């Protein structure tokens, strides 16, 4: 009976999986076939570089709970315990080197030193708290299942080690026709030749697995991020206007109908377009967006339809256009009202025939796309003036959706501010501050001509001005909000705006001098009353009605601040 120890380590940049271990097992379990079936062999994984957390990622339906000294793997489907494990630290074992054990640099899992290899072993390992564990040993064995695949968790097996360690044992059960020493040398030579070749094969396998794993993880993460970002339930829908819009989106999302999004600049037309794409049947295909007003007519034509080599000066090679690249997915045409008459004709043909022709080309190329267009302009008025084709308008206007401006969805503003503030704080890696009540009141009362885009810019500005202050105040909002067009005068119609612009130092000096808050409120009440009386040319009855008070109340307040009126000379 003879045995060999095989060490295998996966590149630290790759997340270890079961695949390398299964590959080695298959290779060594088939090794006895070299000797005509007269050899029995076993291949045991003594400890694995695969961690328990990474292992559970491959088997859905299980969860890992950790205590101070024990880890429990549970089946979420029925609540049963699949296995338990304890934290350990591995001991070191010294293996002497022979003349044949010398290897090239980088060719061994552990480097030689002082005439020996220092390798990890489970013999003499110590049990430690979970937080200090180097690896985990299975205490109570079990199995993980995913469909027809069953993976055993054997009691005593170790996971999360610095590298994997396998024990290969073989026994020749035939009556040897050649001397045993000669046969052993032959088997050993074949085995280690196989090991040497296997090492290079495994390296290529691990390199490919690492690259593929990274690409798959990145692709899955990006798809999940895009899907999560554009789910309908994640749209801010608290106002009646947005609820009506989402009801229409639910009806349109599963169809391929052309959608025309109408709304002011910054109202979120592209957000709605992406939500339609990533919730519909084309969500696994591409979403391409083109701003029709951002490019010159010639450049835009090449951008949309592509061009053949030599189609114009500078066309050194064929280029695939956006329509062709978006085949199977969604094409979003923003600011469609800016298209020139020539491009309007070409776009009409795309919508009618679902085919394009590259600039300088002769062949029609079919495209399978869904078109979503958007504009802030009044296309009906443009049709009447002749600046927009009527037939193209009807092709685009299959399902018109109006995006409400922010001023018509005031109920959404508090939720939008929190979402945008959190997103900006995550990007800047800083804690999320709170809004001062007066600042939030000013935000709610603003008309928002720039809609959500303006709101995001205002929040970013306020966040920068607040610095380390964990409270966003009115002083952090744009100063032009507090000024009239002539400049220097507080804007009328909003008392909170006026109060927010008052100099706090005057109030601070008042309190430092011993003034009370009740006294301050009383003085403010009297000052407002005097202004009301002055505004009504001394008519106290009219002033009292403006303040929603009685004439008797006003006279009583006047006596409290001015004293009793002097006797008349009548």
């Amino acid at each position: 009976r003879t045995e060999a120890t095989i060490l295998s380590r996966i590149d630290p940049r790759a997340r270890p999986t079961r695949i390398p271990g299964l590959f080695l097992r298959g290779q060594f379990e088939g090794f006895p076939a070299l000797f005509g079936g007269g050899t029995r062999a076993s291949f045991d994984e003594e400890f694995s570089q695969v961690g328990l957390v990474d292992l559970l990622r491959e088997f859905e339906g299980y969860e890992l709970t950790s205590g101070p000294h024990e880890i429990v793997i549970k089946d979420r489907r029925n609540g049963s315990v699949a296995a338990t494990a304890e934290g350990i630290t591995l001991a070191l074992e010294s293996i002497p080197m022979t003349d044949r054990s010398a290897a090239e640099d980088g060719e061994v899992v552990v480097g030689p030193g002082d005439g020996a290899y220092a390798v990890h072993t489970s013999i003499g390992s110590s049990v430690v708290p979970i937080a200090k564990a180097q690896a985990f040993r299975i205490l109570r064995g079990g199995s993980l299942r995913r469909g027809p695949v069953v993976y055993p968790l054997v009691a005593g097996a170790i996971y999360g080690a610095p590298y994997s360690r396998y024990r290969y044992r073989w026994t020749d059960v035939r009556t040897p026709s050649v001397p045993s020493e000669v046969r052993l040398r032959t088997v050993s030579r074949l085995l280690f030749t196989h090991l040497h070749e296997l090492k290079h094969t495994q390296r290529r396998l691990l390199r490919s697995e690492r690259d593929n794993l990274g690409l798959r993880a990145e692709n899955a993460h990006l798809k999940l991020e895009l899907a999560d970002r554009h789910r309908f339930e994640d749209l801010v829908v608290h106002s009646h206007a947005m609820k009506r819009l989402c009801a229409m989106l639910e009806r349109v999302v599963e169809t391929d109908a052309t959608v025309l999004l109408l709304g002011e600049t910054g109202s979120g037309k592209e957000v709605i377009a992406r939500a339609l794409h990533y919730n519909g049947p084309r969500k696994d295909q591409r979403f391409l967006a083109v701003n029709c007003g951002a490019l010159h007519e010639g450049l835009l034509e090449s951008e949309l339809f592509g061009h053949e080599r030599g189609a114009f000066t500078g066309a050194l090679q064929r280029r695939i256009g956006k329509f062709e690249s978006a085949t199977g997915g969604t094409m979003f045409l923003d600011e469609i009202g800016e298209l020139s008459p020539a491009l309007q004709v070409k776009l009409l043909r795309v919508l009618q025939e679902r085919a394009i022709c590259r600039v300088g080309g002769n062949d029609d190329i079919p495209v399978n796309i869904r078109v979503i267009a958007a504009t802030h302009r009044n296309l009906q008025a443009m049709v009447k003036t002749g600046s927009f084709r009527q037939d193209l308008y009807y092709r685009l206007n299959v399902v018109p959706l109006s995006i409400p401006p922010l001023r018509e969805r005031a109920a959404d503003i508090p939720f939008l501010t929190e979402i945008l503030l959190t997103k900006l704080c995550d990007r800047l890696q800083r804690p999320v501050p709170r809004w001062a009540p007066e600042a939030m009141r000013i935000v709610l009362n603003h008309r928002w001509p720039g809609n959500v885009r303006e709101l995001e810019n205002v929040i970013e500005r306020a966040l920068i001005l607040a610095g380390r202050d964990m409270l966003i105040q009115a002083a952090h909002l744009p100063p032009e909000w507090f000024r009239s067009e002539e400049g220097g005068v507080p804007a009328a119609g909003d008392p909170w705006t006026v109060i927010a612009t008052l100099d706090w130092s005057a109030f601070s000096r008042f309190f430092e001098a011993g003034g009370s808050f009740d006294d301050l409120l009383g003085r403010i009440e009297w000052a407002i009353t005097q202004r009301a009386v002055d505004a009504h040319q001394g008519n106290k009855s009219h002033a009292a009605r403006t303040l929603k008070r009685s004439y008797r109340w006003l006279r009583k307040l006047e006596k409290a601040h001015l004293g009793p009126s002097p006797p008349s000379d009548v």
Side-chain angles (χ1 to χ4, degrees):
R1 183 181 182 88
T2 313
E3 67 177 34
T5 300
I6 299 100
L7 304 181
S8 174
R9 180 174 61 193
I10 299 175
D11 191 309
R13 291 172 292 178
R15 189 178 70 197
T17 66
R18 295 179 300 119
I19 296 176
L22 295 175
F23 171 73
L24 285 174
R25 178 179 295 277
Q27 290 289 320
F28 281 98
E29 286 179 348
F31 186 75
L34 293 174
F35 308 104
T39 301
R40 287 201 303 260
S42 63
F43 187 81
D44 300 317
E45 189 174 15
E46 293 185 339
F47 55 82
S48 174
Q49 190 182 352
V50 179
L52 289 177
V53 174
D54 292 322
L55 186 63
L56 292 186
R57 286 195 183 103
E58 300 185 50
F59 291 88
E60 298 176 353
Y62 294 90
E63 63 181 357
L64 188 146
T65 59
S66 176
H69 298 285
E70 189 178 65
I71 283 180
V72 178
I73 299 174
K74 288 186 178 180
D75 190 336
R76 287 198 299 262
R77 293 162 290 193
N78 52 29
S80 62
V81 176
T84 61
E86 63 180 353
I88 62 171
T89 56
L90 298 172
L92 289 176
E93 178 183 6
S94 181
I95 300 177
M97 283 194 302
T98 65
D99 294 339
R100 296 182 179 180
S101 63
E104 301 176 5
D105 292 340
E107 293 293 316
V108 293
V109 173
V110 290
D114 297 329
Y117 291 102
V119 298
H120 290 87
T121 176
S122 58
I123 301 173
S125 60
S126 57
V127 179
V128 297
I130 297 297
K132 298 181 180 180
Q134 179 189 21
F136 296 95
R137 178 164 52 204
I138 300 297
L139 292 176
R140 172 186 165 186
S143 60
L144 303 177
R145 297 177 181 273
R146 182 177 181 181
V149 180
V150 179
Y151 182 81
L153 294 172
V154 181
I158 294 174
Y159 292 89
Y163 44 78
S164 297
R165 176 169 176 163
Y166 308 92
R167 186 78 66 182
Y168 177 62
R169 300 178 178 89
W170 72 93
T171 305
D172 191 353
V173 296
R174 292 189 312 176
T175 302
S177 59
V178 294
S180 58
E181 294 83 4
V182 176
R183 184 172 178 78
L184 179 60
R185 284 196 299 269
T186 303
V187 173
S188 299
R189 186 177 66 254
L190 289 172
L191 174 63
F192 285 101
T193 301
H194 183 64
L195 274 173
H196 183 75
E197 295 173 352
L198 184 62
K199 178 173 58 178
H200 295 288
T201 303
Q202 190 191 23
R203 276 188 168 185
R204 290 193 295 269
L205 173 68
L206 292 176
R207 192 178 299 115
S208 298
E209 184 193 6
R210 181 195 66 195
D211 296 341
N212 291 337
L213 182 65
L215 290 173
R216 286 197 303 269
E218 182 180 2
N219 190 30
H221 173 73
L222 290 174
K223 284 185 176 180
L224 182 63
E225 182 180 348
L226 287 171
D228 286 344
R229 187 182 299 172
H230 302 294
R231 288 180 302 179
F232 286 161
E233 52 265 33
D234 283 348
L235 294 176
V236 178
V237 184
H238 293 274
S239 61
H240 293 297
M242 283 301 295
K243 288 178 180 178
R244 288 194 298 269
L245 175 62
C246 281
M248 285 295 298
L249 292 178
E250 292 291 346
R251 298 180 183 180
V252 177
V253 66
E254 295 297 334
T255 71
D256 277 340
T258 302
V259 177
L260 178 61
L261 300 177
L262 306 170
E264 298 178 1
T265 300
S267 57
K269 295 187 288 294
E270 185 169 346
V271 173
I272 298 298
R274 290 183 181 273
L276 279 171
H277 171 76
Y278 288 107
N279 286 274
R282 298 175 180 264
K283 62 183 178 182
D284 295 327
Q285 303 300 322
R286 300 189 68 180
F287 176 91
L288 294 181
V290 174
N291 189 326
C292 299
L295 297 175
H296 183 268
E297 178 182 347
L299 292 176
L300 182 59
E301 183 179 10
S302 176
E303 184 78 10
L304 291 176
F305 301 97
H307 61 255
E308 297 288 351
R309 179 180 178 181
F312 49 83
T313 303
L316 302 180
Q317 60 185 2
R318 172 187 289 178
R319 179 180 179 181
I320 303 300
K322 296 287 187 180
F323 281 122
E324 198 171 345
S325 299
T327 296
T330 301
M331 188 72 189
F332 175 59
L333 302 174
D334 197 9
E335 299 302 342
I336 194 71
E338 307 298 328
L339 279 181
S340 66
L343 285 181
Q344 290 180 30
V345 175
K346 290 198 169 188
L347 177 59
L348 177 63
R349 186 171 183 276
V350 174
L351 295 177
Q352 290 180 164
E353 307 296 335
R354 285 297 191 266
I356 61 130
C357 181
R358 300 192 191 107
V359 178
N362 298 316
D363 299 328
D364 285 342
I365 302 170
V367 289
N368 174 24
I369 57 173
R370 181 183 191 176
V371 176
I372 301 177
T375 182
H376 71 283
R377 304 183 67 176
N378 188 336
L379 294 185
Q380 287 182 322
M382 294 177 65
V383 169
K384 292 179 180 179
T385 60
S387 58
F388 198 84
R389 292 183 63 92
Q390 186 177 38
D391 47 4
L392 177 59
Y393 171 71
Y394 290 131
R395 282 288 180 181
L396 293 172
N397 198 41
V398 177
V399 181
L401 295 177
S402 296
I403 314 297
L406 193 56
R407 61 181 173 274
E408 295 180 8
R409 39 186 298 211
D412 296 334
I413 293 178
F415 302 94
L416 277 171
T417 54
E418 290 303 318
I419 292 172
L420 295 173
L421 183 61
T422 303
K423 182 180 74 172
L424 289 170
C425 288
D426 289 343
R427 191 179 73 191
L428 298 174
Q429 296 183 346
R430 54 166 294 177
V432 182
R434 295 181 297 107
W435 286 88
E438 62 272 18
M440 180 54 68
R441 280 193 290 268
I442 295 172
V443 168
L444 291 173
N445 289 328
H446 186 59
R447 296 293 294 170
W448 298 110
N451 294 292
V452 180
R453 187 178 294 123
E454 180 188 2
L455 175 62
E456 186 172 8
N457 292 339
V458 166
I459 292 174
E460 185 173 8
R461 178 187 187 278
L463 191 62
I464 294 172
L465 293 182
R468 296 184 179 181
D469 192 353
M470 292 304 294
L471 188 67
I472 296 179
Q473 303 187 32
H476 301 141
L477 298 176
E480 59 269 18
W481 288 8
F482 310 114
R483 303 289 177 182
S484 65
E485 294 183 358
E486 292 78 11
V489 181
D494 187 0
W496 304 115
T497 302
V498 178
I499 294 174
T501 58
L502 295 177
D503 185 7
W504 170 251
S505 60
F507 295 100
S508 179
R509 290 192 297 271
F510 172 78
F511 288 120
E512 289 174 358
S516 68
F517 191 65
D518 290 339
D519 187 21
L520 177 63
L521 292 179
R523 295 189 182 190
I524 293 174
E525 183 183 43
W526 173 237
I528 293 175
T529 304
Q530 285 181 303
R531 291 293 303 273
V533 172
D534 293 341
H536 289 85
Q537 291 79 39
N539 191 321
K540 297 177 183 178
S541 297
H542 290 177
R545 283 197 294 271
T546 300
L547 298 173
K548 303 299 188 291
R549 297 290 188 178
S550 65
Y551 175 78
R552 185 176 180 181
W553 171 88
L554 191 151
R555 291 289 295 155
K556 184 177 179 181
L557 183 66
E558 189 177 40
K559 289 180 181 180
H561 285 275
L562 300 179
S565 300
S568 63
D569 295 333
V570 178

